Amino acid sequence: LRVADRDAAVAFWEGRGARIISPGGPGATFVGFGAYRDTEHFALELAQVSPESATKLVNSVVSYIGLSMLLPQQPPGAEDTEADIPDDPLARFLAARSAKPWSMQDASGAVDALRGADGLEVKSVASAPGDPFAQFSLRTASVETLAASATFYTGVLGMSEVGAPSETQRCFRYAALPGGALEGVPTTLVFRVEDGFAGDSVSTEECFDHIAISCVDVDAASAHITGGEAGETPLAPVILEPCGMFGTRIMGVRDPNGYKVYLVEEAGFRSG
């Protein structure tokens, strides 16, 4: 996500119980509930934009970010102090039994920094125990692009569809690794058809920039997506050929919505 005020955005997420995972380099910070170089937990990259760009930031792509109700939350307007989050999943569940859903619309300046001009909703959602970043929801333009997104994220990227699909919403996620760092279910990627979103009107000043997904072998993934030497029709447009970057190998494609998806080789990422 591009943000107008990175420090305020970081403070907001720390107030929800997340932590700084990595500074991420000049102008960018990663926040989440996992550990440094953890490829199983979801993480938000908060990238500082220039003062000139900060006044132009908009959000039309992100529908909402859903935090698990099993995570003890500070309600809207609470002080942005770090929440007391039990480490044990059962303790988190018991501590959150009385939790009630909430949502944020202009709850604080930190949220404004994340949302830009058009607003980005952060709300609590029902979820199974797992990553407290329970859902990351993006808008899609039509039932056709929703169906194409299902084909791409399941058939090309290997996610599983979860929940009952509808004409206006589909949900996808990877399975948790046995014995991995994440206890419970990973983050769910949600696509929603919403009135007023045309897709072709996405601004170059969007706060949303890309999704990054770890994979075992970037070159093998590239061969699968492009059709390799068999001359098959590519499964997705390639925007970045496999290359060395950030101490690992990476490639980029566009999904059916035109959103950028980067595949990052896991071994290099963990050791980088």
Side-chain angles (χ1 to χ4, degrees):
L1 296 178
R2 300 185 183 98
V3 297
D5 186 334
R6 179 182 53 159
D7 292 338
V10 169
F12 167 75
W13 288 110
E14 287 182 323
R16 312 281 77 75
R19 63 180 67 90
I20 295 176
I21 298 172
S22 168
T29 298
F30 290 84
V31 296
F33 296 87
Y36 180 62
R37 298 289 180 176
D38 176 357
T39 59
E40 298 174 56
H41 285 82
F42 179 88
L44 278 176
E45 180 183 6
L46 306 173
Q48 177 71 56
V49 299
S50 68
E52 179 182 359
S53 296
T55 63
K56 302 176 183 178
L57 277 178
V58 297
N59 172 56
S60 63
V61 170
V62 179
S63 176
Y64 65 86
I65 297 175
L67 294 178
S68 172
M69 284 181 62
L70 301 184
L71 175 69
Q73 303 288 352
Q74 294 186 26
E79 293 182 357
D80 282 328
T81 55
E82 187 169 348
D84 183 16
I85 310 300
D87 291 330
D88 179 68
L90 178 59
R92 287 200 300 270
F93 175 78
L94 294 175
R97 289 185 66 182
S98 61
K100 297 180 180 180
W102 53 265
S103 65
M104 291 188 178
Q105 293 286 357
D106 293 315
S108 71
V111 185
D112 288 336
L114 256 181
R115 289 198 264 117
D118 285 352
L120 187 157
E121 184 178 9
V122 180
K123 64 182 181 179
S124 67
V125 295
S127 69
D131 195 324
F133 270 124
Q135 298 176 3
F136 188 75
S137 179
L138 301 174
R139 296 183 175 101
T140 187
S142 65
V143 292
E144 290 78 18
T145 54
L146 183 63
S149 297
T151 300
F152 174 79
Y153 284 95
T154 60
V156 179
L157 295 187
M159 291 184 174
S160 297
E161 184 158 12
V162 296
S166 72
E167 290 187 353
T168 58
Q169 179 170 297
R170 308 284 287 269
C171 305
F172 316 102
R173 68 170 174 246
Y174 288 109
L177 296 176
L182 176 62
E183 297 184 57
V185 298
T187 302
T188 299
L189 183 60
V190 181
F191 284 91
R192 295 163 55 89
V193 179
E194 296 184 7
D195 292 339
F197 179 70
D200 56 358
S201 61
V202 173
S203 168
T204 56
E205 303 296 341
E206 281 289 331
C207 64
F208 171 75
D209 186 74
H210 66 271
I211 298 171
I213 298 174
S214 68
C215 70
V216 175
D217 188 328
V218 161
D219 293 295
S222 175
H224 168 65
I225 292 170
T226 62
E229 298 179 357
E232 299 175 355
T233 302
L235 301 176
V238 175
I239 59 173
L240 178 65
E241 297 288 345
C243 63
M245 192 181 297
F246 309 122
T248 187
R249 288 188 64 72
I250 185 173
M251 72 169 295
V253 299
R254 287 196 185 277
D255 79 354
N257 305 282
Y259 304 151
K260 294 180 288 187
V261 179
Y262 292 105
L263 304 180
V264 182
E265 198 158 289
E266 184 172 332
F269 177 80
R270 284 185 179 274
S271 62

